[in-house]
Amino acid sequence: MLSAGERSFIEDGIAAGIRVDGRAPFTFREMTLEVDVLPQANGSARLQLGSRTSKTNVLVGVKAELGRYLSKAESAAATVEQDDSDERPVASQLGGRIDVTVQCTAGVHISDPMLWSHSSQSPEAVAAPEPAATSGVDGAADADASAGATQLGATQGGGEGTLTSEETEQLLSQRLTTLLNTGGAYKSLLEVVPAQYYWILHVDALVFEDNGNLLDALALATRAALHNTRVPRLKSTEGPTGEAELEVPEGTLADDDAQNIRIPIEPCPTFITFNRVGPAASGNPLQGFIVDALPAEERCSSVRLCVGITSGGVTSTTLKEGPASLSGQVLIELLDRARASGSALLGAFDQALARLERRRAAAVRCAMEGSFAPPPEEAESTVPEGPLTEGEEISRTVLPLLNVTPAAAASA
Amino acid sequence: MPEAAPSKKTSILSFRKGRGAVLRAISLDLKTVSRAAGSAFFQIGQTKVIAGIYGPHQSKLQTDQGQLKCTVTIAPFSGYRGVDAEMNASHKDRVGTAPAERMLAQQVAHAIRGCVRMERYPKSEIDLFVVVLQDDGGVLPASINAASLALVDAGIEMTGLVSAVHVGYAEGELFVDPAGDEQPLLEGLLLCAATSAPGGYGPGQPYRATNVTSFEVTGAFPPAPAGAPAPLTQALALGLDGCSAVGRCSTGPFCPRARKQRDCDLGGSPSRSRRALGLSTGSASPGTPAGGPPRSPKAHPGRGPLVERKLACGSPALGRRSGCSARPGLWAPARSAPVRCGGAALMCGGAALMCGGAVPMCGGRCSDVRVSPRRIGPSKECGVK
């Protein structure tokens, strides 16, 4: 619930290029990243976007399960039903994939009004709709001919129905699952024995706090957790029927990396969300767009584009949300900007992940060999690794404010 | 599909090499559901969708803005395959159609909501029911098109007509409106729903869609190769052209004055378009049964002369709703005979138009081109829900 004064304060600030917390429009908040937080999971990560009072806090754990394709006899006989018994491995026809489930812990309020507008349920299940203040028609004030007429002003949440928390969770889960499985990149990477056995990665995300930009935070945390994921290297032997048989080891994963396989994250896309606050300007197509919005900014936003982007510049799942429309020219500029910003964001993020991985490897070596000296190949790393600062742990690192404007990224 | 043979993949898409910018034949019909306030039937290729609008009626909530509730039903005989089933490997969608129906409802509602003037209907509800009768690719854009036509038929106030189209990417080429057989072979798929800029459509100006109301990408589009624009950018441009073409077809019935001055030629079956161009027709065209459009001027006396033959679409002349193009806010047509509009040429980037809308895809589908579609079900009593 924003008053008109607050709304105009935010909009005027962004029109002048300054946001309420002092950031530039295309700057991410400071991120704190921790990995290896769940010892029982194959991989885990915790991401905190922002700091102090307004942070978005998510925890992601990855567990791997072995699946196998149905043999010809089985697929001819039975219907394809998920086997609920404890039989391992799970038999189905679908192949290697990543399944994401998002859950919000109790008391978390998803602050994003545009998620609400996706509800097609009847309003009977709904709490009182937004008060009339937010449905004031600003459309008349948008005189810009190119995009203004279809902006019905502040219509988000205007009594259209809110989602229950289960539906929000399902929507987020579905978006992330779609993002990670598009293109089939992981389908082939997760094969253990081609056409027979594959890994299913179950990604469970817990949202502790939502203070804006939840989708991006979930996608980045999932990326960190996948980077941290190790699955055991399995040996396959030829069985009597000619099909491979695997030895599935019980117990915890070995610390020795020679026995584990890491999950590659080059094909893993992340979401980057652009919100437009305020009216469109005919001069600058990207006028009013911001990344990493705070909850108040999300409420002022009339249109949003969530772009799924990999570090190689491949654009995958993309969605536009919000009642306003985007002109073709704005969309094109935005997609170009998303590619540039995505690679800047992922570059910095992957460097942080590499930093954590080096520290972890050093700690493991310490424990196993009892020596503190880094191995020779580490001396050539280009990023100077100073001594750990007070308060920073082996598995935790902080990314400072990240400006993803192409000019700034090029100079960085 | 882990067992897809590569030869099968290339043979289907190879039919469309170099013809990626042609839409399938479009047929549309208004007032298909007599008990609804407004309804429309939209067919593109073999994908058939009916939409019905009930309302506005009073709602329990006292809101300043009306509510638009959208429900999609996929008929069991429709052969719905789900565009996302192959691309996303999301096994939840294969269990039943209910999740797909909910997802489609969300997507259709999102695409058209921005253009409906809900502030004119306080304390009211408008129910939109969409029924998918047959799925041959492009169910979501067809549903969006049918829904906006139904809204117009019902006389609901809108700021513009929303038209939608799919653009697929495979093997380095873009294909607009991929059919059912082609969709599993695509690497990336874009749904583009767009409307025209305000005041951008009227007599003398062809319908041009510029403002995107829904933009969804599934799959993956590669980054820009050196020196060329990115495939996604090109797909967006192609999508806007496609939306413009569908919009031209959809708005044709409503503004006869604008149609006279329009310079685009909507080709129907290949023989029809040849006739339009003054060439000989050859053998009897398969697409003109006895009940086709030439009968219409006699069947509807008093409607005025058929519009000139330049518009080979051959739709019967409609009720004279004068000035409907001058009032951008109001899109309700007169109570008129159902319209048939065959084929849609796509004007891509201002180049010469490609007429003869039906593209022979594979397996002899070119013989199925029909300019005047059969009505689905008994004409007057067919009700949706």
Side-chain angles (χ1 to χ4, degrees):
Chain A
M1 268 39 90
L2 282 186
S3 68
E6 272 183 287
R7 179 182 293 272
S8 73
F9 181 74
I10 292 174
E11 288 179 4
D12 291 346
I14 288 174
I18 304 172
R19 297 163 71 169
V20 287
D21 53 357
R23 283 185 283 157
F26 284 89
T27 303
F28 274 85
R29 286 175 277 181
E30 183 186 68
M31 291 184 229
T32 307
L33 178 64
E34 278 179 79
V35 293
D36 260 346
V37 287
L38 300 174
Q40 299 285 5
N42 290 82
S44 57
R46 179 172 180 155
L47 182 74
Q48 193 170 298
L49 195 60
S51 57
R52 291 195 301 271
T53 51
S54 96
K55 53 187 190 301
T56 298
N57 207 341
V58 299
L59 170 70
V60 175
V62 181
K63 285 207 69 82
E65 185 182 10
L66 204 57
R68 68 178 170 88
Y69 289 103
L70 292 177
S71 66
K72 291 195 176 47
E74 284 170 323
S75 54
T79 55
V80 183
E81 281 294 328
Q82 285 297 334
D83 204 340
D84 279 342
S85 70
D86 220 10
E87 172 203 315
R88 289 172 171 220
V90 174
S92 82
Q93 277 298 93
L94 293 168
R97 63 186 180 276
I98 304 180
D99 264 335
V100 182
T101 312
V102 177
Q103 271 182 305
C104 301
T105 56
V108 167
H109 173 62
I110 303 279
S111 63
D112 189 350
M114 279 193 205
L115 284 181
W116 298 351
S117 72
H118 272 269
S119 168
S120 59
Q121 304 299 319
S122 63
E124 282 91 270
V126 153
E130 295 274 88
T134 58
S135 65
V137 179
D138 292 327
D142 293 321
D144 180 41
S146 67
T150 45
Q151 281 191 10
L152 294 182
T155 56
Q156 59 263 24
E160 304 252 275
T162 61
L163 291 179
T164 58
S165 57
E166 288 87 29
E167 287 172 323
T168 324
E169 292 169 359
Q170 269 178 15
L171 189 67
L172 290 170
S173 312
Q174 178 201 52
R175 292 232 178 120
L176 288 166
T177 309
T178 311
L179 178 75
L180 292 172
N181 286 309
T182 49
Y186 276 110
K187 189 164 171 177
S188 49
L189 287 171
L190 290 173
E191 296 234 312
V192 179
V193 177
Q196 288 191 41
Y197 289 101
Y198 52 86
W199 286 112
I200 305 170
L201 296 180
H202 294 283
V203 175
D204 295 296
L206 274 177
V207 178
F208 292 118
E209 266 185 275
D210 173 28
N211 272 300
N213 210 20
L214 183 59
L215 199 59
D216 290 10
L218 284 169
L220 286 171
T222 309
R223 186 187 182 86
L226 284 173
H227 178 84
N228 184 244
T229 301
R230 278 155 187 74
V231 290
R233 205 183 289 274
L234 299 178
K235 301 188 192 50
S236 75
T237 51
E238 195 80 6
T241 52
E243 290 183 357
E245 282 179 2
L246 294 177
E247 306 165 19
V248 183
E250 299 290 337
T252 56
L253 289 171
D255 271 338
D256 186 2
D257 274 348
Q259 295 184 29
N260 294 335
I261 304 177
R262 306 277 305 282
I263 301 290
I265 55 165
E266 285 80 36
C268 178
T270 186
F271 271 123
I272 183 166
T273 303
F274 295 88
N275 281 286
R276 179 162 74 195
V277 176
S282 46
N284 176 12
L286 291 179
Q287 172 66 33
F289 277 100
I290 54 174
V291 296
D292 194 13
L294 297 168
E297 293 168 335
E298 279 176 348
R299 277 169 199 282
C300 297
S301 146
S302 57
V303 66
R304 164 192 308 176
L305 191 72
C306 304
V307 186
I309 193 92
T310 66
S311 46
V314 174
T315 314
S316 63
T317 310
T318 301
L319 311 146
K320 170 206 164 280
E321 291 182 283
S325 69
L326 289 172
S327 77
Q329 186 203 9
V330 169
L331 254 182
I332 291 174
E333 293 272 334
L334 208 51
L335 290 169
D336 285 336
R337 174 59 67 91
R339 270 185 285 272
S341 300
S343 48
L345 171 67
L346 290 178
F349 198 76
D350 289 348
Q351 275 185 0
L353 286 177
R355 207 157 53 224
L356 287 174
E357 187 55 32
R358 272 199 298 276
R359 289 189 209 159
R360 192 198 83 96
V364 166
R365 251 193 331 276
C366 241
M368 288 173 60
E369 301 162 9
S371 89
F372 291 88
E377 61 267 16
E378 289 269 332
E380 294 147 26
S381 76
T382 50
V383 177
E385 188 68 55
L388 289 178
T389 56
E390 191 68 43
E392 245 193 19
E393 304 141 22
I394 290 173
S395 57
R396 187 164 162 271
T397 187
V398 174
L399 285 91
L401 292 178
L402 180 63
N403 192 333
V404 292
T405 323
S411 63
Chain B
M1 301 191 298
E3 289 86 28
S7 59
K8 182 180 178 204
K9 172 174 179 164
T10 47
S11 72
I12 288 183
L13 284 176
S14 63
F15 271 100
R16 282 199 79 178
K17 290 277 181 195
R19 303 179 73 185
V22 186
L23 296 175
R24 292 176 287 176
I26 291 176
S27 301
L28 46 99
D29 211 347
L30 297 179
K31 301 202 187 334
T32 47
V33 178
S34 51
R35 298 187 57 196
S39 58
F41 165 77
F42 187 87
Q43 174 179 359
I44 183 161
Q46 292 299 318
T47 301
K48 299 174 180 152
V49 177
I50 281 189
I53 291 275
Y54 292 83
H57 48 250
Q58 192 175 8
S59 84
K60 300 180 202 55
L61 298 178
Q62 307 286 306
T63 48
D64 278 353
Q65 300 219 346
Q67 320 258 325
L68 179 67
K69 286 164 44 186
C70 179
T71 312
V72 173
T73 310
I74 300 175
F77 48 79
S78 62
Y80 181 73
R81 280 168 278 189
V83 64
D84 293 338
E86 301 292 346
M87 289 208 158
N88 301 334
S90 167
H91 60 289
K92 298 181 189 62
D93 288 341
R94 294 191 185 215
V95 172
T97 54
E101 290 174 349
R102 281 198 290 270
M103 177 80 161
L104 279 176
Q106 283 175 7
Q107 291 170 308
V108 171
H110 172 61
I112 58 178
R113 196 162 280 171
C115 285
V116 182
R117 293 194 158 201
M118 298 310 289
E119 69 269 15
R120 301 286 208 162
Y121 302 98
K123 305 176 194 164
S124 310
E125 251 171 30
I126 298 174
D127 290 326
L128 166 67
F129 293 101
V130 177
V131 179
V132 176
L133 299 169
Q134 194 168 315
D135 172 26
D136 191 28
V139 163
L140 177 56
S143 308
I144 294 172
N145 293 327
S148 21
L149 285 168
L151 282 166
V152 171
D153 188 42
I156 306 286
E157 290 202 35
M158 299 170 73
T159 56
L161 192 74
V162 181
S163 48
V165 85
H166 261 153
V167 181
Y169 174 82
E171 301 167 4
E173 274 201 51
L174 292 171
F175 302 98
V176 79
D177 186 31
D181 312 2
E182 299 167 352
Q183 267 182 346
L185 311 174
L186 299 172
E187 296 157 26
L189 185 68
L190 166 67
L191 167 83
C192 179
T195 182
S196 61
Y201 172 62
Q205 301 176 41
Y207 183 90
R208 178 117 206 109
T210 50
N211 292 359
V212 173
T213 57
S214 178
F215 183 83
E216 287 186 28
V217 175
T218 45
F221 280 81
L232 190 54
T233 310
Q234 289 178 313
L236 171 62
L238 195 58
L240 286 176
D241 280 336
C243 291
S244 307
V246 173
R248 274 194 290 273
C249 198
S250 302
T251 55
F254 304 134
C255 297
R257 241 195 353 216
R259 285 175 62 230
K260 280 202 180 111
Q261 288 148 7
R262 220 168 17 162
D263 49 336
C264 75
D265 192 5
L266 299 181
S269 63
S271 59
R272 182 169 298 274
S273 56
R274 280 208 295 279
R275 226 182 302 140
L277 295 173
L279 303 172
S280 65
T281 313
S283 57
S285 73
T288 322
R295 172 203 63 167
S296 318
K298 302 181 192 56
H300 305 289
R303 292 291 182 187
L306 191 62
V307 287
E308 61 222 33
R309 290 301 285 154
K310 185 176 178 195
L311 298 167
C313 157
S315 299
L318 303 186
R320 267 74 67 76
R321 178 85 177 180
S322 59
C324 71
S325 62
R327 272 191 288 168
L330 210 51
W331 283 88
R335 301 290 164 201
S336 63
V339 253
R340 292 169 178 95
C341 167
L346 183 64
M347 292 170 75
C348 188
L353 69 103
M354 298 153 76
C355 58
V359 178
M361 300 286 183
C362 60
R365 235 189 283 161
C366 56
S367 61
D368 280 350
V369 171
R370 241 178 275 274
V371 174
S372 49
R374 273 199 304 269
R375 276 281 204 113
I376 303 295
S379 51
K380 296 305 171 201
E381 311 311 319
C382 171
V384 177
K385 290 220 169 154

